[in-house]
């Protein structure tokens, strides 16, 4: 088998890395083809060779896997038959997605719809019907490019970056840009993630397209929002926004995708206006009008958060429920906020929350909370989250929930949905996180997160139902992802169940890994920064989410989230989460969890943010830690994806008191009481 | 026979195979894949097909001969046969596979046996035809001629 570069390749043998290759791309594309039928195998080999690809064939899935494992970067794409005697093609697909994050193309003589659908759901990049024609093979390189672009995007755009960015096509030329080692690293990282995450390549996963990432930091986002306001939301076009922002290195596309997310966020916020009385703006901490204030989140949220924190890892949801329950009346918003963040952060855990589930009841609804989280997502967010992303998020959440889940699954998911995650997170982050607190509480301005946050609290109250359809959608979406990450379920995202705050913390360890992976998956982190921002700015009790989270998180034991903590804690959580994102480790810290407490629903993620808040104190930190973990996880997958770590750190610093998240993790004694409400 | 005649026979024979549905466009694809670096590509692939098919047909015979027929297994074999026959362009063989799979789904042993019988016949037919074709090719080459490309 010939792995490595052909004569046209550079010495590294990888077409990605050489300038030489770029000119001749897709010549030299390294394909691994797996089929137990010798006739087909031979034909495919010849066809691929005629396309000037480097072909390695094998007739057994196990052998193929060992080839791939031995040469992690030795292949660009895999083509596999569906029906094989030693291993089901879909299983192989999953493995590859998880471990190597390469694009996989399935093929079969079977063209029945359900089999093709299976390919789609398992993340295959394409499905070819036998007999395969050479024309079909000529274009398989597009999958590699697409994946790389997605990964690049994921890595580089925390929030922006709709998967569908139009510049993708133009990026072809960028393929040639394999120069930077950063790219390589990034690519590799992204590879790791999948299925980690999920897909291929992860999104998923393999691309040598590295562009400088655009990290939508809080400041940047604020600039963006200001520009949008200046122009008027109706008239805000990317070009003008870009001009107003005047940020060097920012492209119109970055702005465009970010705007898309922002719009969704706003939409969602407006939908959630009801009862969120006063989402704490503070939550958002932004001065932007767009980000409402989360003030109302407090109390309730905190409770939620706290409650959430308390829930044992396993049931973030329960936590959330508890949180919600407690603070149901209160800052419903806060919960959602937190949740939202968590949502994004912990997509996994959040996924659990069924829509409308109000984790209000402290009864450990565990995973429900998670589900709930998605619901809390603001409509906007929901909108953003479409299925793909949802799943991604769900995955993340799930992971959070089931920290036990190995990262692989998460990675797979994540990688797969990377692009989506990006979107989600992007969307979420931008819109939701920041928004939640604001909108929720009050009038639900269109801020994104607040919607989510609100949702959470709503859930308690009912917000879920009302406000967000999107939320439910989100939930569903999340759920979707949740399913995917079922395995992640084990991963109890203790955050979710922050009620047992402590437990979450402990879970954190587990979660961390998982969370990390999740977080990555849940790109939601990126959006965290918004929250963080808010958190940071307003550590007041209004920050329902975070506060609660913090406390709840801490006191895993006590299911009641103090509500008042609300947002702030969420923020911390979020922050934590985001920070962790960057870490690249799979620490699933409880960060995500605290979120749960906040919003029960969305809580998980929120929780994470929680700790960050000064007021939230340890809980929040713990939460944050979790988040970090998550973030790390994520970062491992997508190393560059979230600049959350940076954000987090920034927030943390700002917060001042928060102290190192890590220390917080061990919050054993976190009690809601500690959290300044 | 002189080369020209051989070549003409070859072309006509090839055309009839397509016309009668023994071969389809996929076989043309194989022919196009053949080039100087792989001058015997078609023969090699078809030989592989023969080996594989005979193995599968044997397996099918044995599987259907069991007191408790494992239809899943039978179906898997048929599926593979369908894949390989379609890949080489053995159209009639491939066409037999579809009803065969239906019989498997219905778990109808009798019907499966009939399908097996039919598929064996078609297989032998196409094998025979292709072997004739290859012999013609060899004769042309032996007579110093070039094998005409049949589009």
């Amino acid at each position: 088998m010939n792995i490595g570069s052909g004569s046209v390749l550079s010495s590294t043998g990888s077409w990605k890395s050489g300038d030489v290759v770029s000119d001749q791309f897709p010549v030299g594309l390294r394909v691994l083809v797996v089929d137990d039928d010798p006739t087909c195998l031979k034909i495919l080999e010849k066809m691929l060779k005629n396309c000037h690809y480097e072909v390695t064939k094998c007739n057994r899935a196990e052998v193929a896997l060992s080839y791939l494992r031995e040469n992690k970067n030795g292949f660009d794409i895999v083509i596999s038959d569906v029906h094989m005697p030693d291993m089901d093609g879909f299983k192989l697909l999953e493995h590859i997605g998880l471990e190597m994050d390469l694009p996989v193309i399935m093929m079969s003589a079977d063209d029945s719809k359900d089999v093709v659908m299976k390919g789609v759901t398992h993340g295959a990049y394409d499905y070819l019907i036998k007999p395969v024609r050479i024309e079909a093979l000529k274009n398989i390189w597009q999958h590699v490019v697409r994946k790389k672009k997605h990964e690049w995007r994921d890595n580089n755009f925390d929030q922006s970056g709709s998967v569908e960015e139009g510049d993708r096509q133009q990026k072809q030329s960028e393929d040639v840009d394999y120069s930077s080692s950063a790219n390589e690293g990034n690519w590799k990282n992204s590879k790791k993630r999948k299925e980690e995450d999920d897909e291929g390549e992860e999104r998923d996963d393999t691309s040598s397209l590295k562009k400088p990432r655009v990290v939508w930091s809080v400041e940047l986002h604020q600039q963006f929002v200001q520009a949008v306001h200046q122009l008027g939301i109706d008239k805000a076009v990317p070009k003008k926004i870009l001009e107003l922002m005047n940020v060097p290195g920012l492209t119109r596309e970055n702005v465009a995708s970010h705007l898309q997310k922002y719009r969704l966020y706003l939409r969602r916020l407006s939908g959630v206006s009801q009862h969120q009385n006063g989402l704490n703006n503070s939550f958002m901490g932004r001065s932007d009008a767009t980000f409402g204030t989360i003030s109302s989140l407090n109390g309730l949220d905190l409770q939620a958060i706290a409650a959430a924190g308390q829930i044992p890892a396993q049931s973030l949801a329960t936590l959330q429920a508890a949180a919600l329950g407690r603070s149901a009346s209160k800052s419903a918003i806060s919960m959602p906020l937190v949740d939202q963040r968590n949502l994004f952060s912990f997509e996994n855990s959040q996924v659990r929350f069924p829509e409308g589930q109000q984790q209000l009841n402290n009864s450990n609804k565990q995973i429900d909370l998670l589900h709930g989280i998605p619901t809390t997502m603001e409509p906007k967010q929901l909108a953003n989250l479409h299925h793909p992303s949802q799943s991604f998020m769900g995955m993340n959440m799930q992971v959070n929930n089931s920290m036990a889940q190995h990262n692989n699954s998460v990675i797979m998911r994540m990688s797969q949905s990377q692009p989506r995650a990006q979107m989600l997170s992007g969307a979420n982050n931008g819109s939701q996180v920041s928004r939640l607190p604001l909108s929720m509480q009050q009038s639900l301005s269109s801020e994104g997160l607040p919607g989510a946050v609100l949702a959470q609290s709503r859930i308690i109250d009912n917000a879920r139902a009302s406000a967000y359809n999107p939320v439910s959608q989100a939930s569903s979406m999340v759920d979707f992802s949740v399913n995917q990450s079922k395995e992640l379920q084990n991963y109890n995202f203790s955050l979710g169940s922050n009620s047992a705050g402590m437990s979450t913390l402990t879970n954190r360890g587990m979660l961390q890994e998982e969370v990390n992976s999740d977080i990555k998956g849940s790109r939601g982190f990126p959006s965290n920064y918004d929250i963080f921002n808010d958190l940071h700015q307003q550590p007041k009790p209004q920050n329902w989410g975070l506060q609660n989270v913090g406390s709840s998180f801490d006191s895993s034991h006590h299911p009641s989230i103090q509500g008042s903590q609300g947002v702030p804690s969420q923020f911390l959580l979020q922050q934590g989460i985001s920070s962790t994102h960057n870490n690249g480790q799979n620490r699933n810290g409880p960060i995500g969890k605290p979120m749960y407490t906040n919003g029960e629903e969305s809580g998980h993620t929120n929780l994470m943010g929680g700790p960050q808040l000064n007021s939230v104190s340890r809980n929040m930190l713990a939460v944050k830690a979790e988040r970090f973990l998550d973030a790390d996880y994520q970062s491992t997958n997508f190393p560059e994806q979230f600049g959350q770590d940076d954000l987090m750190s920034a927030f943390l610093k700002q917060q001042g008191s928060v102290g190192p998240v890590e220390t917080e993790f061990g919050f054993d004694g976190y009690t809601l009481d500690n959290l300044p409400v | 026979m002189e080369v020209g005649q051989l070549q003409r026979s070859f072309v006509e024979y090839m055309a009839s195979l397509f016309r009668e549905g023994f071969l389809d466009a996929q076989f043309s694809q194989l022919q196009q894949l053949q080039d100087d670096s792989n001058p015997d590509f078609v023969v090699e692939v078809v030989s592989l097909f023969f080996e594989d098919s005979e193995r599968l047909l044997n397996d099918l015979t044995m599987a259907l001969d069991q007191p408790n027929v494992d239809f899943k297994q039978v179906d898997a074999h048929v599926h593979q046969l369908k894949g390989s026959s379609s890949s080489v362009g053995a159209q009639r063989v491939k066409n037999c596979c579809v009803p065969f799979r239906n019989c498997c789904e219905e778990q109808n042993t009798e019907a499966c046996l009939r399908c097996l019988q039919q598929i064996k016949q078609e297989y032998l037919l196409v094998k025979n035809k292709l072997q004739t074709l290859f012999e013609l090719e060899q004769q042309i080459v032996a007579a110093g001629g070039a094998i005409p490309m049949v589009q």
Side-chain angles (χ1 to χ4, degrees), chain A residues 37 40 42 46 83 133, chain B residues 29 35 44 79 84 86-87:
Chain A
D37 183 340
C40 295
K42 189 174 175 68
K46 186 73 177 81
H83 296 91
R133 293 178 65 85
Chain B
Q29 288 247 317
D35 52 24
E44 286 169 9
H79 176 76
S84 54
S86 65
S87 296

Side-chain angles (χ1 to χ4, degrees), chain A residues 2-55:
Chain A
N2 101 72
I3 299 186
S5 45
S7 52
V8 294
L9 298 176
S10 61
S11 54
T12 59
S14 111
W15 58 269
K16 313 195 265 315
S17 52
D19 334 319
V20 182
V21 178
S22 56
D23 293 340
Q24 305 176 26
F25 179 82
V27 169
L29 193 72
R30 296 160 307 166
V31 185
L32 176 66
V33 58
V34 189
D35 193 340
D36 62 322
D37 183 340
T39 315
C40 295
L41 201 59
K42 189 174 175 68
I43 296 173
L44 283 167
E45 185 192 32
K46 186 73 177 81
M47 283 181 173
L48 290 165
K49 283 203 173 132
N50 278 24
C51 294
H52 305 294
Y53 296 154
E54 272 190 34
V55 189

Side-chain angles (χ1 to χ4, degrees), chain A residues 405-416:
Chain A
Q405 227 10 275
H406 50 89
N407 292 335
N408 276 351
S409 53
V410 175
I411 296 180
M412 227 204 349
R413 308 271 156 101
M414 303 207 331
S415 50
Q416 294 196 345

Side-chain angles (χ1 to χ4, degrees), chain A residues 35-50 57 81-83 85 107-111 130-135, chain B residues 24-26 29-30 32-35 37-38 41 44-46 48-50 52 55 79-88 94 101:
Chain A
D35 193 340
D36 62 322
D37 183 340
T39 315
C40 295
L41 201 59
K42 189 174 175 68
I43 296 173
L44 283 167
E45 185 192 32
K46 186 73 177 81
M47 283 181 173
L48 290 165
K49 283 203 173 132
N50 278 24
K57 59 176 180 176
D81 189 36
V82 168
H83 296 91
M107 61 175 176
S108 177
D110 196 346
D111 60 352
K130 286 182 180 176
V132 179
R133 293 178 65 85
I134 193 170
E135 290 81 17
Chain B
D24 63 20
Q26 189 65 16
Q29 288 247 317
L30 294 190
Q32 284 166 29
L33 283 174
Q34 182 161 297
D35 52 24
S37 63
N38 279 64
F41 179 70
E44 286 169 9
V45 173
V46 173
L48 271 176
F49 169 66
F50 290 161
D52 204 37
R55 177 182 60 82
H79 176 76
Q80 183 159 1
L81 190 57
K82 182 182 177 198
S84 54
S85 59
S86 65
S87 296
V88 300
K94 178 195 74 173
R101 293 194 80 190

Side-chain angles (χ1 to χ4, degrees), chain A residues 304-316 319-320 338-339 342 345-346 349 370 373 399-403 491-512 515 519 525 549-550 552-553 561 573 577 588-600 602-611 619 622-630 665 667:
Chain A
I305 299 176
Q310 309 210 343
I311 296 179
Q314 342 179 330
S315 48
L316 267 182
L319 224 103
Q320 302 233 340
V338 171
D339 286 339
N342 286 329
S345 322
F346 297 107
S349 44
L370 287 181
I373 302 187
V399 167
N400 293 333
N401 286 323
S402 52
M403 299 262 284
Y491 182 94
N492 269 323
F493 198 71
S494 45
L495 293 179
S497 48
N498 277 335
S499 54
M502 309 294 297
S503 53
T504 49
L505 286 179
T506 47
N507 284 326
R508 208 176 31 185
M510 283 204 314
L511 287 178
Q512 299 204 339
V515 171
I519 301 218
F525 279 107
V549 172
S552 52
F553 196 73
I561 297 191
L573 286 176
I577 299 180
N588 292 316
I591 298 184
K593 308 200 207 143
M595 301 286 275
Y596 287 107
T597 54
N598 288 330
E600 303 250 343
S602 58
H604 311 294
T605 50
N606 292 339
L607 292 177
M608 300 288 281
N619 284 341
V623 170
K624 185 166 162 213
E626 294 197 351
R627 271 334 223 157
F628 278 107
L629 291 177
D630 291 336
F665 276 113
F667 34 44

Side-chain angles (χ1 to χ4, degrees), chain B residues 42-120:
Chain B
V42 180
V43 173
E44 286 169 9
V45 173
V46 173
S47 306
L48 271 176
F49 169 66
F50 290 161
E51 279 173 33
D52 204 37
S53 302
E54 276 157 39
R55 177 182 60 82
L56 282 169
L57 289 170
N58 279 343
D59 290 346
L60 277 167
T61 309
M62 288 201 316
L64 285 169
D65 207 24
Q66 304 293 315
N68 280 342
V69 177
D70 180 357
F71 285 100
K72 263 192 173 313
Q73 184 69 350
V74 174
D75 184 70
H77 288 316
V78 176
H79 176 76
Q80 183 159 1
L81 190 57
K82 182 182 177 198
S84 54
S85 59
S86 65
S87 296
V88 300
Q91 192 178 280
R92 277 155 73 141
V93 174
K94 178 195 74 173
N95 289 346
C96 287
C97 293
V98 178
F100 200 153
R101 293 194 80 190
N102 289 340
C103 297
C104 288
E105 254 178 76
E106 293 163 15
Q107 308 219 342
N108 185 338
T109 311
E110 277 302 313
C112 284
L113 283 168
R114 282 196 294 275
C115 288
L116 179 61
Q117 201 48 38
Q118 191 170 5
I119 219 174
K120 277 180 178 173

Side-chain angles (χ1 to χ4, degrees), chain A residues 103-118:
Chain A
V104 181
I105 294 178
M106 302 303 293
M107 61 175 176
S108 177
D110 196 346
D111 60 352
S112 59
K113 192 171 138 203
D114 41 344
V115 182
V116 178
M117 177 60 91
K118 219 173 156 197

